[in-house]
Amino acid sequence: MKVIVTGGAGFIGSALIRYLIKECGCTVLNLDKLTYAGNLDNLKEVDADERYSFVQCDICDAEKVAQIFNDFAPDTIMHLAAESHVDRSIDAPLEFVRTNVMGTANLLHCALNYYSQLPEEKKEQFRFQHISTDEVYGSLGKDGYFTESTPYDPRSPYSASKASSDHMVRAWGHTFKLPVLLSNCSNNYGPYHFPEKLIPLIILNALDGKPLPIYGKGDNVRDWLFVEDHARALWLINRKGVPGETYNIGGNSERTNLEVVEECCKILDELVPKAESYSKQITFVSDRPGHDLRYAIDASKLKRDLGWEPQITFSEGLRATVKWYLDNSWWWKPIREKNYAGERLGKGK
Ligand code: NAD
Ligand code: TYD
């Protein structure tokens, strides 16, 4: 299978490409603009493979995207390119509208032109797969879960732009009969996670002896999924999912932010002990504006229809992640020195 992965130099896209190259025998073209979040070091494990290639491209660039479709002639496309950080969407929302909404619409437009001229047998296997987030559903109280039929209620510029892109994808599926697939996934974590997101930020700040910032009281809840479990789910959906359908993906691992940070500290205390526990560095800071209280996914459709379940528990995955950061300072040191040193983002006006 020839697969275009957009956003393949990012956290989840690179995990997906590693999986497609190493375990699925695919030929992959990574289409990525290389924003601050894109990093070709994430592909070091596969970039010498002749089945892997990279092209630097903005998904908003209609001419270049059309050219790439024609030259590479993909059997399927998996769309992950996005601005992905809620805090940055508070500081610079329009970049999120540009990439997540306009970029997705442009990609759909180019994909439809390409799809329309495919022979019937190629059309049958082609999919436009859109990778989205559980944040489009809004915020839960203490109880309940997001299902595929939960009404959309996005509340940050990030989640509003992702919700909007989901609507675009469904519109192209409904109106133009483009064979689309959607999935909405909970918070991912794992290796190569850009250290602006909670878990890698905490690990690296802890090692640097810096404060571990917790927004508000730390009682917001997220449902955590190891990134490799997400990659497996995505390829399964691409090959076995029913066009037009949406699948929720979740880790069944709800934790408050404070619990997550304390668990990181406990693992670090064990692996790299020092006089005082890392938990002494925990600092409560002002809350994120509009901070969603709780996300929790009901992933039973994906289990029932396609047989997917997470294979890695949160405690296994978190330990593996902490160990990975301890062993791979070559990856994160240049990012912390040149790109993003861990300063507070998204405080609002
Ligand atoms: P990321 O920020 O790590 O990576 C995004 C990638 O997209 C980067 O490589 C970046 O260079 C690229 N990109 C950004 N703008 C682009 C543009 N205009 N043209 C081409 N490439 C561009 O993000 P991630 O965490 O890997 O998330 C990937 C996808 O999964 C996103 O669509 C996100 O909404 C979704 N998602 C993420 C999570 C999560 O927990 N991280 C959960 C559910 C869904
Ligand atoms: P984040 O990793 O930004 O993912 P998302 O906002 O998409 O869920 O944040 C996860 C949770 O951690 C979220 O509730 C915000 C919180 N958080 C902190 O408490 N401190 C921080 O420094 C960061 C980056 C996030």
Side-chain angles (χ1 to χ4, degrees), residues 293-313:
L293 178 66
R294 175 171 168 256
Y295 305 140
I297 278 279
D298 174 350
S300 55
K301 175 177 171 179
L302 189 55
K303 182 175 179 191
R304 192 181 59 241
D305 291 3
L306 305 185
W308 177 90
E309 272 185 298
Q311 290 180 353
I312 295 151
T313 65

Side-chain angles (χ1 to χ4, degrees), residues 186-215:
S186 63
N187 285 61
N188 283 214
Y189 69 99
Y192 302 100
H193 203 182
F194 191 84
E196 64 188 352
K197 305 278 167 66
L198 179 68
I199 289 177
L201 180 74
I202 293 302
I203 297 169
L204 300 188
N205 274 12
L207 294 173
D208 278 351
K210 290 185 175 166
L212 311 181
I214 296 192
Y215 300 166

